[in-house]
Amino acid sequence: MHTNLERDAVDGVFATTGAPDLDRLRRLDARAVRDSVALVNRLAPGDLARPTPCAGWDLAALLGHLTAQHRGFAAAALGRGRDLAHWTVRPLGDDLATAVTRYRHAAEDVLAAFATVDDPDRPFALPEFTTERTVPAARAMGFHLIDYVVHSWDLARTLDLPYAPDPELLDASLPIARAVPDGPNRLAAGSSFRPGLPVTEGAGELDRILALLGRAPDWRAPEH
């Protein structure tokens, strides 16, 4: 659940940055998604039990969340986002191959759905964010983009793998991260982001994004 990004985020994200160019946003979002797929493809037996930088989530919980979010955003792009069934996290079980295959399919589904969006103001129903209004497509895709930049880092850190998004992706993500409201909703159960952390002087863009969204850039997985 995106309890940290409910009504205040609908008003806050892009309040100062403006909606980005739709084609560029779609291209960068696809890059973030494919980065996540490349990391998920590296999963090995036993990895689903690993702890992640997402407080209280092991890798199985994180992967289930990411798969469900792809499905939900795909449904929203196609006008079916109000149905909570599309956002439901399905148990992964112990079948790693099936879990990875489901993730790949969900990733391709959301990219295909986003490709149909030809108007940055197309309404997206995002019931996990708000049930009181729809969200313009460009803002919704920005939510998705920042999620997969940060969660790709989560995956990489969990698996002790490198993660180096290209500069254009980071340039687009940093203003979104700055605009995400930092309030008590980030402490709610199931929140993907935690309260912001101090940003180290001279930190690079990725480290600034992570700190703004409650990640310690030097986090390392404990011995597994």
Side-chain angles (χ1 to χ4, degrees):
M1 289 288 290
H2 285 268
T3 51
N4 58 301
L5 283 176
E6 294 177 12
R7 284 177 293 179
D8 54 352
V10 175
D11 294 329
V13 175
F14 296 108
T16 57
T17 61
D21 173 80
L22 189 60
D23 287 337
R24 178 172 181 263
L25 178 57
R26 182 168 27 231
R27 173 171 52 82
L28 293 175
D29 179 75
R31 200 171 297 171
V33 170
R34 296 199 186 286
D35 283 347
S36 74
V37 172
L39 289 162
V40 169
N41 284 339
R42 300 284 298 275
L43 292 179
D47 284 342
L48 292 178
R50 287 178 178 265
T52 75
C54 302
W57 287 5
D58 61 13
L59 189 52
L62 176 59
L63 185 57
H65 166 80
L66 296 178
T67 304
Q69 290 298 299
H70 282 327
R71 292 196 179 104
F73 274 89
L78 299 174
R80 301 193 291 267
R82 294 189 187 280
D83 184 352
L84 286 172
H86 296 298
W87 303 87
T88 300
V89 176
R90 303 175 187 174
L92 297 183
D94 297 323
D95 187 344
L96 177 63
T98 298
V100 170
T101 298
R102 286 179 180 173
Y103 185 76
R104 291 174 185 156
H105 289 168
E108 292 303 323
D109 286 348
V110 76
L111 297 183
F114 280 5
T116 70
V117 178
D118 55 6
D119 180 355
D121 293 322
R122 178 190 289 189
F124 275 39
L126 304 178
E128 287 201 337
F129 293 78
T130 176
T131 58
E132 297 179 1
R133 70 192 86 174
T134 57
V135 179
R139 292 189 184 188
M141 292 164 71
F143 294 166
H144 192 262
L145 168 64
I146 194 65
D147 239 16
Y148 285 85
V149 169
V150 174
H151 284 319
S152 289
W153 178 86
D154 291 334
L155 288 167
R157 276 292 180 267
T158 299
L159 298 170
D160 197 24
L161 294 172
Y163 176 57
D166 67 63
E168 186 183 12
L169 183 54
L170 294 178
D171 286 347
S173 299
L174 183 56
I176 303 174
R178 285 178 174 146
V180 176
D182 190 357
N185 281 340
R186 292 200 190 185
L187 293 171
S191 176
S192 297
F193 302 145
R194 306 304 288 172
L197 302 174
V199 178
T200 304
E201 184 176 356
E205 282 187 309
L206 178 58
D207 284 358
R208 281 184 279 167
I209 290 167
L210 296 171
L212 286 165
L213 298 178
R215 302 300 199 268
D218 61 353
W219 188 92
R220 292 292 186 277
E223 290 296 325
H224 178 64

